[in-house]
Amino acid sequence: MLISMNWINDFVDLSGLDLEKLIHQFTLSTAEVEDIYYMGRDIKDVVVARIVSIENHPDSKKLHLLKVDAGDKVYDCVCGAPNVREGMLVAFAREGGSVSGMEITCAKIAGYESHGMCCSEKELGISADHSGLWEITDDLPLGTQITDAYGVKDVVFEVDNKSLTNRPDLWGHYGIAREFAALTNRELKPVSRMDLTPYASLPGIDIDIRDKELCYRYTGLKVRNITKKVSPVDMRIRLFYCGMRAINLLADLTNYLMLELGQPMHAFDCAKVDSIQVQRFSAPFEFETLDGTKRRIDENTLMICSKEEPVAIAGIMGGLNSEIEDNTDSLLLESANFDAVSVRKSSTRIGLRTDASMRYEKTLDPEMTDVAIEHFMQLLTEIDPGVEIISSMTDVYVRHYDKIDITFDKKFVDRYTGIDISDEQILNTLSALGFAPTLENEVFTAHVPSWRATKDVTIKADIIEEITRVYGYDNFKITTTKAALAPVMRTAGNNDDRWTKDLLVQRYGMHEVHSYIWCDAKKYKELNIEIEDNVRVINAMTPDHTVLRRSMVPTMITYVNENKAYANDFGVFEIARVINGLGEDGLCDEQKHLGIALYSRTKSEKDLYLGLRDIMASISKELKHRYFEFRIAEAKHNWQHPRNTAEIYLDGIYVGFITVVHPSVQSKIDKKAVIVAGELNMDTLSSMTASVIHYEEPSKFPGIDIDLSLVIGADQTYSTLSAAWQNVTPLLKNVALIDSYNGVVKSITLRFTFSSNEKTLAKNEVQSYVDTIIENLAKIGVVLR
């Protein structure tokens, strides 16, 4: 939001102060200032002048040869503006002056010397109008400096809107002026208001608030005999400097009031709107707004109507069917207050965010509606004295905010601030900010003003903030805080997450990613990934992000697709949240899962799949000091391979799965690559107790290895075989899978390692144990190859 210091000066006398330092102080105490602009600083010796005579250029259809009286003398000037005429008052940059940083010198144009330049408003930087010369209509002496006659020179600063979210009172210059008054300890002038009580006997306006939940107050006034169409120059300049273009007097006045007081207003053509109904409709319909766009209005959007016909979207924008036109000479002036949440939601639904809606959604002060109308009329009558008021000011006030009084003592202030702020300073600060404080029996009472009571100041700590920010945070003495500090103990889940991430990154060179909890419908559709029914997000920012995910794997697959061009082999992982429907309490059943995806253009499907199995086994070994059990399982999702999918168990409890990505999904990513994925329920895993590690001294004597090649059944797994060598002899230290073969028969080779801490073993010493193992295997149908 752009703020004009000339405008601020209307309400607070800032003469003699360094404005740049003052704006910096505003940043420290109130809101963040993003930039400062020095308007009109590059304008020099531009004066009011009169065109005395005009001759057509003999060699040009567009150029004119002018004689311009600038007060000191008559200058020759070559000009190509289409609206030049004799007797016209213009802004003339004399030779030696400057405009827009360009020095004006004597120049020969099409063979004729020009000793100055007649300027348009755009060339002076006071508007975007470059259609012709700026025609000055005020009665000013020739030679008057433009910068003396009008507010062309100004200091404008830009405030970050995000820092004003909780301060609805700062969305207008008057609220900002109140801050400067408090910071400089200078008087805040009241808003000029026209006394409308003499018109109280006139007929009122028919205002019917049918939706009292969403409309808190609606104030209106009718005026006629409006003859002026163009706003004063200074008003147009201020609007332009603050980011708005001038339209016509009535539209400019409503915009001017909004920028000045922060209260949006709307002027209806009285010939089209003579009564008001505020309501919602039971069925959707189309409505054309002032910008010429047809918009769909649903049953939750509050509308302003006249004679049951919609004429405006409440708090957002008026309708094209009731706009102010060039021949409008009467108006119905609206100043209202609406529910902030309703305005924000309606603005989002219809895709229209305006200066008015931005202010309404901050929860404006309802006490400003009548003030705005009275100030509007004060300005209008000063500009156009012949206007007539033809109705009483009709005010329908259906919802009042509760008055808030906050009591506190000086000890409370001292304890929170750590400094000694005097009673007098506390009273002066709160008075300057409008809190009307009192002090009785060492107890302060702050009466929160209406412009801060809608949602901003509610508790004692808020009062402390008001006192300290005006006192100046930079005036606080810097001291070291003394407090008892204790280390925060990590939970089992935190430790498991940390160890798992370190393992995947350091040992396996994988990349951690970060994602959102919802399914991305667009990305899923591109990869043939089905979105499974689950909890949905209400009012999602986009329809593609409505359904919350049940599994981490589809998210990991999309990351593989987005990064496939960067490497031939890589892996990605993330520990994040998934939602498994709703729990018994009606809330989301939220679980923490690890998702992994491996991509390779160099490895076979078997090698990559077994590599993922080894990664999962490493996680189990590091976290729980024992190995997962892998069981062949059926695919449950359309992105899982129908055969190459295995579920993971620990102590008979299901904790996750590994899978080859289904060919229909994989082909959408890369037909020449292999992709495998896996998932672990980290919450379940963390809840399981780790096995105690038993340490055994390694033997100093060489061991002996015995390899057995075995023919096994198609449904037999390594875990079914292990019972054959359990407890056969303590000399058996390890059993490892060396090779496997799947052909006519299924065969594996196991290496049995025997060793002793007392001597070097001979083969005949372990042969009896090997024979026992072979006999045990034979009992379950496993024979030597």
Side-chain angles (χ1 to χ4, degrees), residues 245 287-295 313 316-321 323 350-354:
R245 64 183 181 90
F287 179 72
E288 190 171 3
T289 47
L290 279 172
D291 57 1
T293 303
K294 291 184 178 179
R295 305 182 185 277
I313 306 174
I316 300 176
M317 185 177 280
L320 195 63
N321 59 346
E323 70 172 330
I350 65 179
L352 179 61
R353 198 156 189 256
T354 63

Side-chain angles (χ1 to χ4, degrees), residues 565-706:
Y566 296 103
N568 288 329
D569 298 85
F570 66 88
V572 293
F573 75 92
E574 182 183 13
I575 298 176
R577 302 288 175 175
V578 300
I579 303 298
N580 188 22
L582 297 177
E584 295 180 357
D585 55 1
L587 301 178
C588 290
D589 182 6
E590 189 174 343
Q591 300 172 357
K592 184 170 60 178
H593 283 200
L594 164 67
I596 296 177
L598 304 180
Y599 168 92
S600 178
R601 292 175 61 90
T602 62
K603 296 179 181 179
S604 67
E605 182 178 291
K606 176 182 176 181
D607 289 341
L608 197 63
Y609 183 66
L610 294 178
L612 178 58
R613 179 206 61 186
D614 292 343
I615 291 173
M616 293 297 192
S618 297
I619 294 173
S620 174
K621 183 180 179 182
E622 290 291 335
L623 298 185
K624 302 302 172 186
H625 313 311
R626 54 188 186 275
Y627 289 108
F628 288 137
E629 178 188 355
F630 296 87
R631 302 178 187 175
I632 300 299
E634 295 182 356
K636 296 180 180 178
H637 310 279
N638 82 312
W639 36 264
Q640 288 181 313
H641 196 284
R643 294 186 60 185
N644 297 329
T645 297
E647 292 181 341
I648 303 172
Y649 291 84
L650 186 62
D651 296 338
I653 299 173
Y654 172 80
V655 293
F657 64 87
I658 59 173
T659 184
V660 175
V661 173
H662 196 284
S664 66
V665 177
Q666 181 177 305
S667 63
K668 291 290 184 178
I669 299 175
D670 189 344
K671 294 181 180 180
K672 296 182 179 180
V674 178
I675 305 170
V676 300
E679 189 163 354
L680 287 177
N681 188 324
M682 297 301 290
D683 287 335
T684 301
L685 198 60
S686 299
S687 66
M688 304 175 77
T689 304
S691 297
V692 178
I693 299 177
H694 296 282
Y695 295 93
E696 184 176 334
E697 180 185 357
S699 174
K700 60 184 177 180
F701 301 101
I704 185 170
D705 295 334
I706 304 294

Side-chain angles (χ1 to χ4, degrees), residues 704 706 759-771:
I704 185 170
I706 304 294
K759 62 178 180 177
T760 300
L761 296 175
K763 184 176 181 180
N764 60 349
E765 293 180 276
V766 300
Q767 186 61 48
S768 61
Y769 304 126
V770 174
D771 293 341

Side-chain angles (χ1 to χ4, degrees), residues 143-155:
T144 302
Q145 294 287 335
I146 291 298
T147 52
D148 293 337
Y150 301 109
V152 175
K153 286 190 174 181
D154 197 356
V155 177

Side-chain angles (χ1 to χ4, degrees), residues 348-632:
T348 302
R349 283 195 304 270
I350 65 179
L352 179 61
R353 198 156 189 256
T354 63
D355 289 295
S357 68
M358 281 195 296
R359 286 166 172 79
Y360 275 122
E361 66 185 36
K362 304 301 184 293
T363 316
L364 293 181
D365 174 17
E367 297 295 326
M368 286 299 296
T369 62
D370 56 338
V371 175
I373 285 186
E374 291 168 352
H375 186 48
F376 182 99
M377 290 308 303
Q378 180 69 35
L379 296 178
L380 179 60
T381 52
E382 290 173 359
I383 298 168
D384 193 354
V387 297
E388 298 178 22
I389 297 173
I390 57 175
S391 79
S392 61
M393 184 170 69
T394 307
D395 186 21
V396 182
Y397 203 160
V398 297
R399 174 177 171 179
H400 294 259
Y401 282 95
D402 294 334
K403 292 184 178 181
I404 302 174
D405 293 333
I406 299 175
T407 59
F408 58 97
D409 56 21
K410 190 174 182 304
K411 291 181 180 179
F412 180 81
V413 178
D414 293 344
R415 185 169 68 254
Y416 264 77
T417 62
I419 53 179
D420 183 13
I421 301 177
S422 67
D423 291 352
E424 182 182 3
Q425 190 164 0
I426 293 172
L427 290 170
N428 290 341
T429 298
L430 294 179
S431 295
L433 294 173
F435 284 81
T438 58
L439 176 59
E440 188 174 347
N441 298 326
E442 298 185 352
V443 175
F444 293 93
T445 301
H447 307 279
V448 181
S450 60
W451 59 84
R452 302 295 299 277
T454 57
K455 67 174 182 179
D456 184 20
V457 177
T458 57
I459 59 177
K460 289 195 290 185
D462 295 331
I463 296 295
I464 298 298
E465 180 184 357
E466 297 302 300
I467 296 169
T468 53
R469 68 182 182 83
V470 174
Y471 177 83
Y473 297 124
D474 51 335
N475 293 324
F476 277 54
K477 183 180 178 181
I478 300 175
T479 58
T480 303
T481 300
K482 295 181 180 179
L485 299 178
V488 177
M489 301 301 294
R490 290 181 178 270
T491 64
N494 293 144
N495 283 325
D496 285 353
D497 293 350
R498 183 166 56 91
W499 279 104
T500 301
K501 290 178 181 181
D502 289 346
L503 175 70
L504 296 177
V505 172
Q506 295 173 11
R507 185 181 300 180
Y508 296 103
M510 297 178 66
H511 304 275
E512 184 179 10
V513 297
H514 298 280
S515 65
Y516 294 108
I517 198 170
W518 50 72
C519 303
D520 192 317
K522 184 178 180 181
K523 293 179 181 179
Y524 282 25
K525 184 177 180 180
E526 291 174 355
L527 300 179
N528 280 340
I529 296 175
E530 179 184 344
I531 296 181
E532 299 170 356
D533 188 38
N534 200 12
V535 178
R536 295 175 178 269
V537 178
I538 299 175
N539 292 331
M541 295 298 291
T542 167
D544 290 339
H545 299 161
T546 301
V547 182
L548 301 184
R549 65 187 175 198
R550 285 183 176 270
S551 171
M552 290 294 299
V553 169
T555 303
M556 296 300 102
I557 294 175
T558 62
Y559 276 104
V560 167
N561 184 50
E562 291 169 357
N563 292 278
K564 62 187 177 185
Y566 296 103
N568 288 329
D569 298 85
F570 66 88
V572 293
F573 75 92
E574 182 183 13
I575 298 176
R577 302 288 175 175
V578 300
I579 303 298
N580 188 22
L582 297 177
E584 295 180 357
D585 55 1
L587 301 178
C588 290
D589 182 6
E590 189 174 343
Q591 300 172 357
K592 184 170 60 178
H593 283 200
L594 164 67
I596 296 177
L598 304 180
Y599 168 92
S600 178
R601 292 175 61 90
T602 62
K603 296 179 181 179
S604 67
E605 182 178 291
K606 176 182 176 181
D607 289 341
L608 197 63
Y609 183 66
L610 294 178
L612 178 58
R613 179 206 61 186
D614 292 343
I615 291 173
M616 293 297 192
S618 297
I619 294 173
S620 174
K621 183 180 179 182
E622 290 291 335
L623 298 185
K624 302 302 172 186
H625 313 311
R626 54 188 186 275
Y627 289 108
F628 288 137
E629 178 188 355
F630 296 87
R631 302 178 187 175
I632 300 299

Side-chain angles (χ1 to χ4, degrees), residues 682-751:
M682 297 301 290
D683 287 335
T684 301
L685 198 60
S686 299
S687 66
M688 304 175 77
T689 304
S691 297
V692 178
I693 299 177
H694 296 282
Y695 295 93
E696 184 176 334
E697 180 185 357
S699 174
K700 60 184 177 180
F701 301 101
I704 185 170
D705 295 334
I706 304 294
D707 291 350
L708 298 179
S709 293
L710 308 170
V711 177
I712 64 175
D715 59 344
Q716 287 180 317
T717 62
Y718 182 86
S719 60
T720 62
L721 307 183
S722 60
W725 54 79
Q726 296 294 332
N727 303 318
V728 169
T729 173
L731 298 178
L732 180 60
K733 303 301 182 182
N734 188 48
V735 181
L737 177 67
I738 301 303
D739 195 11
S740 64
Y741 171 76
N742 284 316
V744 179
V745 296
K746 185 176 181 180
S747 173
I748 61 172
T749 299
L750 299 179
R751 175 165 293 165

